[in-house]
Amino acid sequence: MAALLDACTTLRWDARITAVVSDREEAPACQIAQSFGVRAVVVARRGFATRLAFDDALGEQLEALAPDLVVLAGFMQILPGRLVARFQSRMLNIHPSLLPVFPGLDTHRRVLESGARIHGATVHYVIPELDAGPIVVQAALPVLPHDDEPSLAARVLVAEHHILPLAVGWHLRGRLRIDGPRVVLEAPGPAESQLLWLP
């Protein structure tokens, strides 16, 4: 999220971040947003008797903000299909694995347990199925012999900070076209790729 707030200014996007929405009042994201002069909105899960009521309140808040794009970055809630449908092709998510492998939680632990040699991160459009939407961009990196969960997570986070602003920028400039399960980057430059290899 902080990488996006910074990129909006430094990359001079023709856009503004209207709000950061969190489900936890104590989330550092709220303080970071405010330090950038961006409104922080909290829809606290514990304030609702049922998950359905929370989902409805979250959907109403997002509709009230009227965003052109919703970006999920560390929002660890599965969104209901009806909410995802409201923002079809206008909702991006960052996931810490090379989807379609290792969807869901605990990706770094699962990668290490599997013996995989390559790990990474994926930005994809959100669909009702968990971590299964059309892939915009991925960053791959080696799993090093000395890696443990914290070291691997830290290296993947660097990759996430690189590719999420990249994907958002492409979307904002209208350069992404969803073609079934794939996303096509229109008119890529010589240095642009939808798959990055990071050390």
Side-chain angles (χ1 to χ4, degrees), residues 66-79:
D68 295 312
L69 178 66
V70 175
V71 182
L72 305 177
F75 192 78
M76 306 298 286
Q77 300 278 348
I78 297 175
L79 299 177

Side-chain angles (χ1 to χ4, degrees), residues 3 121 139 141 152-165 198-199:
L141 51 88
L152 190 55
R155 291 171 53 238
V156 170
L157 186 62
V158 171
E160 292 182 56
H161 288 177
H162 186 76
I163 63 173
L164 186 55
L198 302 176

Side-chain angles (χ1 to χ4, degrees), residues 94 121-123 137-139 158-168 196 198:
I94 182 88
T122 302
V123 179
V137 62
Q138 293 180 302
V158 171
E160 292 182 56
H161 288 177
H162 186 76
I163 63 173
L164 186 55
L166 189 65
V168 170
L196 288 76
L198 302 176

